[in-house]
């Protein structure tokens, strides 16, 4: 049996393409495109601007809800176009204010998205795929494999859904939810474009996280420069080990991407974008959290324009990995700091809300069918 996950999922690049066989999807289109769409369907440019305002500023979930549009036109368009919002299937709130949503797609699949408040910030952790083919051993999402990549509107919707659920404007977006964003580059970049252009975010408030897929980092940089004009979002690379052997044990797909080649591609990204790279390191008790691992990591990253984020592991049922003690985490951090590596420890959030990526979806998949929660229409 071939245990290697497939690395060629379908990447959906544009909402209109995604819906070639069904109704046109409007979420993901910018104001100029919505104006063109309204004109093409016999309305004025003003109607296109109204559509934009209601979809992005007011969060309209359907054409029918956009009551400023002529009723006859809304009815005529109902079978030909839709906003493209997802359905909220389940909501889970943690005591620390973190909210996790399980969102349903039009084809009956589900994805997770998380809102993480912190002072003035509200960070949305979005998914880029339904499931994930990378099979990282410590990850609940990786256990179920990949179903498909998400389309642009399905990524943008997650930010709108968190805005509505938490009644706050998100300030930051991190592509750290389900899926490997670099296997869905075009849709991820189009979604970043939409978040900046239509929801007023800045690229610097957005982080794209990858575990590493061979040859995709140069493509990401090239396409970001083409599509966005510049690549100012943060690149976060999930390293999780200071050497190739241990990394392959934790991330089976790493065998195809030697750690040296991964770091070389990261260096090129730094040169192209002028932005430092974040390295994510999940600390697994007794596996990769020994001071000798910290020393090896410091040696590996010496002279690199980077920042290391340490994350204490969130246990999942399917694996026996342990969460390290706070003392162990602090010792690891100090070892890096003493060796002049920029490092911080990411606070664990939402531990009582199925915090680990993919946990909520797997738990509910094993439970009786979740019913959709009512979607709030804009006032
Ligand atoms: S950690 Fe990320 S890349 Fe790895 S299996 Fe989970 S979702 Fe995929």
């Amino acid at each position: 049996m071939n245990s290697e996950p497939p690395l060629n999922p379908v990447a959906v690049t544009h909402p209109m393409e995604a819906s070639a066989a069904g109704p046109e999807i409007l979420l993901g289109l910018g104001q100029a495109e919505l104006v063109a769409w309204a004109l093409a369907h016999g309305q004025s440019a003003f109607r296109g601007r109204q559509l934009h305002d209601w979809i992005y500023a007011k969060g309209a979930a359907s054409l029918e809800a956009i009551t400023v549009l002529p009723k006859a036109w809304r009815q005529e368009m109902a079978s030909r176009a839709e906003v493209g919002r997802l359905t909220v299937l389940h909501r889970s709130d943690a005591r620390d204010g973190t909210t996790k949503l399980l969102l349903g797609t039009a084809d009956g699949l589900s994805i997770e998205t998380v809102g993480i408040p912190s002072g003035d910030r509200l960070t949305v952790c979005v998914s880029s795929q339904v499931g994930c083919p990378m099979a990282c051993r410590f990850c609940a999402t990786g256990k179920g494999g990949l179903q498909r990549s998400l389309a642009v509107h399905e990524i943008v919707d997650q930010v709108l859904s968190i805005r509505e659920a938490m009644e706050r404007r998100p300030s930051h977006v991190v592509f750290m939810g389900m899926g490997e964003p670099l296997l869905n580059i075009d849709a991820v970049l189009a979604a970043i474009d939409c978040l900046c252009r239509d929801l007023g975010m800045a690229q610097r408030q957005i982080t794209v996280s990858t575990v590493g897929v061979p040859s995709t980092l140069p493509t990401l940089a090239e396409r970001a420069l083409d599509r966005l004009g510049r690549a100012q979002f943060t690149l976060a690379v999930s390293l999780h080990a200071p050497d190739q052997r241990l990394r392959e044990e934790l991330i089976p797909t790493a065998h195809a991407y030697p750690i040296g080649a991964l770091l070389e591609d990261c260096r090129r990204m730094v040169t192209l974008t002028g932005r430092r790279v974040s390295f994510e390191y999940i600390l697994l008790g007794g596996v990769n959290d020994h001071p000798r691992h910290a020393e090896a990591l410091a040696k590996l990253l010496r002279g690199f324009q980077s920042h290391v984020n340490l994350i204490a592991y969130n246990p999942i049922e399917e694996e026996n990995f342990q969460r390290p003690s706070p003392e162990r985490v602090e010792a690891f951090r100090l070892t890096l700091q003493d060796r002049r590596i920029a490092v911080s420890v990411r606070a664990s959030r939402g531990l009582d809300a199925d915090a680990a990526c993919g946990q909520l979806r797997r738990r509910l998949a094993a439970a009786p069918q979740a019913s959709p929660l009512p979607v709030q229409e804009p006032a």
Side-chain angles (χ1 to χ4, degrees):
M1 191 183 81
N2 182 5
S3 60
E4 287 182 27
L7 291 181
N8 57 346
V10 178
V12 180
T13 58
H14 191 278
M16 288 298 192
E17 285 174 35
S19 58
E24 293 174 87
I25 303 291
L26 303 181
L27 182 59
L29 301 183
Q31 191 177 84
E33 292 160 304
L34 288 167
V35 164
W37 188 82
L39 291 170
H41 291 88
Q43 294 293 316
S44 63
F46 176 65
R47 295 296 183 208
R49 289 193 289 276
Q50 282 183 316
L51 272 169
H52 185 270
D53 182 43
W54 278 67
I55 289 172
Y56 294 104
K58 294 189 163 69
S62 67
L63 274 178
E64 188 50 38
I66 309 180
T67 48
V68 290
L69 297 175
K71 190 165 186 184
W73 189 54
R74 276 185 278 149
Q75 285 170 345
E76 184 195 335
M77 286 294 117
S79 60
R80 291 155 64 177
E82 57 188 47
V83 173
R85 295 297 308 270
L86 304 179
T87 308
V88 180
L89 298 174
H90 184 87
R91 173 179 180 152
S92 179
D93 294 301
R95 281 186 291 274
D96 66 3
T98 301
T99 291
K100 184 175 266 199
L101 300 178
L102 188 73
L103 299 172
T105 64
D107 54 352
L109 302 174
S110 60
I111 53 167
E112 289 184 0
T113 192
V114 190
I116 307 156
S118 175
D120 291 343
R121 282 186 173 210
L122 174 58
T123 301
V124 188
C125 178
V126 297
S127 296
S128 56
Q129 298 186 300
V130 186
C132 183
M134 304 305 282
C136 301
R137 280 190 52 210
F138 46 81
C139 172
T141 298
K143 302 290 169 205
L146 175 75
Q147 285 170 288
R148 69 169 170 84
S149 287
L150 292 176
V152 183
H153 67 282
E154 293 169 319
I155 298 173
V156 175
D157 178 279
Q158 297 173 57
V159 179
L160 295 178
S161 290
I162 287 291
R163 183 179 75 180
E164 287 151 15
M166 301 184 78
E167 298 178 358
R168 283 180 62 175
R169 188 174 173 274
S171 59
H172 292 74
V173 168
V174 293
F175 283 81
M176 291 184 179
M178 295 166 56
E180 165 52 63
L182 295 201
L183 290 174
N184 193 14
I185 289 179
D186 288 342
V188 165
L189 290 178
I192 291 175
D193 198 10
C194 178
L195 294 174
C196 297
R197 180 192 60 202
D198 304 305
L199 288 175
M201 300 192 81
Q203 273 197 48
R204 282 173 178 261
Q205 297 167 316
I206 297 171
T207 298
V208 176
S209 171
T210 178
V211 82
V213 180
S215 328
T216 55
L217 281 175
T219 310
L220 176 73
E222 216 173 85
R223 296 215 189 136
L225 293 173
D226 269 3
R227 166 136 208 148
L228 308 172
R230 64 211 161 93
Q232 290 294 290
F233 53 83
T234 300
L235 176 71
V237 174
S238 298
L239 214 47
H240 307 327
D243 63 76
Q244 181 66 15
R245 187 195 55 76
L246 181 55
R247 196 160 188 268
E248 280 183 32
E249 274 178 35
L250 301 175
I251 308 168
T253 53
H255 75 90
Y257 204 1
I259 205 165
L262 171 63
L263 290 184
E264 197 43 50
D265 284 343
C266 291
R267 272 198 189 89
R268 278 199 216 118
M269 278 294 281
V270 174
T271 307
L272 265 171
T273 64
R275 305 266 293 149
R276 73 180 180 180
V277 173
S278 274
F279 289 106
E280 309 291 302
Y281 195 103
I282 292 184
L283 289 161
L284 303 154
V287 176
N288 65 354
D289 67 337
H290 193 277
R292 76 169 182 281
H293 295 122
E295 280 162 25
L297 184 61
K299 199 169 164 196
L300 188 72
L301 299 181
R302 192 178 296 147
F304 205 113
Q305 202 180 329
S306 66
H307 181 95
V308 175
N309 273 317
L310 301 176
I311 308 134
Y313 173 65
N314 267 335
I316 60 171
E317 275 170 20
E318 297 87 341
E319 289 287 349
N320 265 336
F321 293 122
Q322 304 299 316
R323 186 178 175 86
S325 66
E327 294 73 29
R328 192 83 161 177
V329 173
E330 180 58 8
F332 201 98
R333 187 191 71 78
L334 280 175
T335 305
L336 289 178
Q337 185 180 281
D338 289 349
R339 284 154 183 77
R340 297 175 185 277
I341 300 291
V343 58
S344 53
V345 177
R346 191 179 303 150
S348 286
R349 301 294 305 269
L351 281 173
D352 50 349
D354 299 294
C357 171
Q359 256 181 351
L360 174 66
R361 181 168 169 263
R362 282 176 77 74
R363 179 168 65 76
L364 290 180
Q369 187 64 43
S371 326
L373 294 176
V375 173
Q376 218 180 338
E377 295 291 2

